[in-house]
Amino acid sequence: MEKYVREEIKKLNAYEVLNKDFTIKLDANEGVEWIKGLNRYPLDKSDTLRGELAKKLGKDKDEIVLGNGSSELIELAMKAYLEAGKTVVSFSPTFSMYQIFTIIHKGNYEEYPLDDKKKLNIEGFVEFIQEKKAKLVIISNPNNPTGLFIPREEIKKILTSVDAMVILDEAYIEFTNEPKTDFTKEFKNMLVLRTFSKAMGLAGIRLGYMIADKENIGYINRVRSPYNVNALTQEMGLKVLNDQEITNKNIEMIKKEREKMRLFLQGKDLNPFPSEANFLFFQAPKAVFDALENKAVLIRDFSGKLEGYYRLTIGTPQENESVRKIIKEVQHATS
Ligand SMILES: *Cc1c(COP(=O)(O)O)cnc(C)c1O
């Protein structure tokens, strides 16, 4: 929305790359070909991939922009919407990059604590946003690392009650039971972020996308580097979009395994929080973490800020079974 975009960006023109037909291309200082096609710069706006994605999502192409991971898109949103010294609000705990990017972009980061059950008090959160006069709000939904999913109706309440741009980071949306519709048509003050890194299992190719009103996408394009998504990634993204069956199967497997693991952790009194993502947030004695580490099983330790809290990604059935075996052994040894 024009109201929220940075003054400097309002006046800036986007760098335009023209895709013209050619017989000989000598306009871009590209080198000679020795690996098929890769001597050329990629399509600037990932045109083919963006078109396919738009079709899948029932959107217009100009309501989408692709990024080198959704991480790049969080940063581009800050470049477009965050004036130095202005406040960004999220809740806590959440994805730590929000704070890091805010600081890099000279903003002031304020966090609203989730309650003891790691749930969000919506009224309190809205009041906090208003009180802090935030210009940018970031919501990880489902939330990393707690797994909390905030229902659509509550997100809409936030969108209508705050005088700010709202980034809805849906990196884990595919693992929820919610329809994947966005409501960027209805709300011009929102940017929705998704990624190929989690449910699609392609963190290695670095590909994310933003869905928003086309005016907002225009502002993001003004601050985006040309050719920000490389040719190999565009090609791989297209391939995967046309082969959703594997992805869907994996999502169903993870959901099933998540519930199995949650029940297990519950049974071991390790207090797993309800999660709609591909991980579980839980509390455990240090011995559990150490036992896993001794077997070279890595889980995320939140000690320091959140003593005794851990986040476990749901893996393959065999990997999950190994984790359960190790936890059973350590609990047996210490009881
Ligand atoms: C993993 C993650 C991302 C980053 O995704 P990339 O597309 O790989 O950059 C963004 N937001 C949250 C909350 C995440 O957990």
Side-chain angles (χ1 to χ4, degrees), residues 67-74 94-98 101 138-145 169-172 193-198 202-209 278-279 311:
N68 183 33
S70 54
S71 302
E72 184 193 19
L73 296 165
I74 299 170
T94 193
F95 190 43
S96 55
M97 287 312 295
Y98 301 156
F101 284 140
I138 311 187
I139 299 168
S140 169
N141 198 36
N143 185 37
N144 177 7
D169 183 348
E170 297 189 329
Y172 301 95
L193 300 183
R194 303 220 179 126
T195 179
F196 281 59
S197 296
K198 311 291 163 63
L202 288 174
I205 72 170
R206 312 304 300 125
L207 182 62
Y209 59 99
N278 66 337
F279 52 79
R311 187 194 65 202

Side-chain angles (χ1 to χ4, degrees), residues 114-119 148 273-274:
L114 296 178
D115 68 18
D116 290 345
K117 297 204 156 110
K118 301 286 170 262
K119 292 216 157 130
L148 171 74
F273 292 89

Side-chain angles (χ1 to χ4, degrees), residues 114 117-119 140-150 171-178 251-263 265-266 271-282 310-315:
L114 296 178
K117 297 204 156 110
K118 301 286 170 262
K119 292 216 157 130
S140 169
N141 198 36
N143 185 37
N144 177 7
T146 62
L148 171 74
F149 182 68
I150 306 164
Y172 301 95
I173 192 71
E174 293 88 349
F175 299 107
T176 71
N177 295 316
E178 202 67 19
I251 292 169
E252 286 318 306
M253 181 273 285
I254 296 289
K255 281 183 178 171
K256 222 194 288 165
E257 287 290 314
R258 175 179 73 199
E259 182 57 10
K260 189 168 171 187
M261 185 64 85
R262 192 187 66 77
L263 290 170
L265 295 173
Q266 188 93 65
N271 192 27
F273 292 89
S275 170
E276 299 217 31
N278 66 337
F279 52 79
L280 287 164
F281 195 58
F282 65 100
Y310 301 93
R311 187 194 65 202
L312 167 70
T313 306
I314 305 300

Side-chain angles (χ1 to χ4, degrees), residues 260-300:
K260 189 168 171 187
M261 185 64 85
R262 192 187 66 77
L263 290 170
F264 171 81
L265 295 173
Q266 188 93 65
K268 298 287 171 201
D269 283 326
L270 298 178
N271 192 27
F273 292 89
S275 170
E276 299 217 31
N278 66 337
F279 52 79
L280 287 164
F281 195 58
F282 65 100
Q283 287 177 286
K286 181 85 171 27
V288 168
F289 178 81
D290 291 343
L292 289 165
E293 198 178 39
N294 281 337
K295 295 261 161 71
V297 175
L298 303 182
I299 69 169
R300 178 66 190 275

